[in-house]
């Protein structure tokens, strides 16, 4: 067997490679499927350790809103369908839902018309044909209206 093809011993892994078992454990912790380890930095306070008050609550709310906006910004620029899906799932876990009103009646109070498609079918007149840009709600409150294409009768 050629020397370049031989497997190196496990203790001779190049710097930067993580063994599969350790990588699985890290992924499980990130996805929340196992209990996370204690923080490695002991000077980090848990939320429950911080004195809670009106200012802390307002700051936490402002921080949450800023993080949501940052996620939406990243989601709009993501080129990978997997990344988009992962961001949407993460946002959904904190109460931010994607809005795709395909097949629903167009409602200008919650939808933004981006285009129109002519139709001969009177039943489709005013119905959302497709979502061009996904909208989002946070606990039922509209963060961003979806941009949609609407059927219009000729």
């Amino acid at each position: 067997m050629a020397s370049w093809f031989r497997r190196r011993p496990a203790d001779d892994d190049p710097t930067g490679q993580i063994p599969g078992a350790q990588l699985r454990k890290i992924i499980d912790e990130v996805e929340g499927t196992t209990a996370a380890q204690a923080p490695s930095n002991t000077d980090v306070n848990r939320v429950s350790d911080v004195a809670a008050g009106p200012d802390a609550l307002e700051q936490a709310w402002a921080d949450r809103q800023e993080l949501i906006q940052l996620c939406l910004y990243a989601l709009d620029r993501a080129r990978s369908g997997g990344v988009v899906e992962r961001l949407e799932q993460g946002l959904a876990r904190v109460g931010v839902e994607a809005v795709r009103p395909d097949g629903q009646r167009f409602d200008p109070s919650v939808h933004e018309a981006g285009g129109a498609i002519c139709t001969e079918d009177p039943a489709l007149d005013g119905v959302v044909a497709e979502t061009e840009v996904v909208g989002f709600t946070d606990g039922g409150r509209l963060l961003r209206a979806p941009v949609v294409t609407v059927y219009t009768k000729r």
Side-chain angles (χ1 to χ4, degrees):
M1 180 183 310
S3 62
W4 57 269
F5 189 71
R6 283 191 211 121
R7 178 157 167 74
R8 289 185 292 240
D11 59 343
D12 192 28
D13 285 341
T15 305
Q17 286 191 357
I18 301 173
Q22 186 179 357
L23 185 58
R24 180 77 251 161
K25 184 177 177 185
I26 292 168
I27 291 170
D28 287 344
E29 287 178 8
V30 169
E31 291 178 344
T33 54
T34 62
Q37 295 176 349
S40 58
N41 187 352
T42 58
D43 66 342
V44 175
N45 294 325
R46 295 184 183 277
V47 173
S48 60
D49 297 341
V50 178
D55 292 339
L57 183 58
E58 286 178 27
Q59 184 61 51
W61 184 254
D63 291 348
R64 180 181 186 276
Q65 296 306 311
E66 185 66 29
L67 288 170
I68 288 170
Q69 291 304 315
L70 182 63
C71 285
L72 294 180
Y73 178 85
L75 197 144
D76 288 341
R77 285 149 184 82
R79 295 175 187 233
S80 162
V83 170
V84 169
E85 183 178 337
R86 187 71 184 259
L87 283 167
E88 282 189 18
Q89 288 172 351
L91 286 167
R93 283 195 300 270
V94 297
V96 178
E97 296 291 331
V99 178
R100 291 180 180 86
D102 298 5
Q104 298 177 9
R105 276 262 155 232
F106 176 74
D107 181 351
S109 67
V110 292
H111 306 145
E112 181 179 328
I117 297 176
C118 292
T119 181
E120 297 291 332
D121 187 351
L124 289 178
D125 188 31
V127 172
V128 174
E130 68 177 332
T131 303
E132 295 175 23
V133 178
V134 178
F136 288 90
T137 60
D138 184 8
R141 184 176 58 91
L142 188 63
L143 295 177
R144 179 171 80 184
V147 179
V148 299
T149 301
V150 183
Y151 286 115
T152 56
K153 191 172 181 226
R154 286 187 189 206

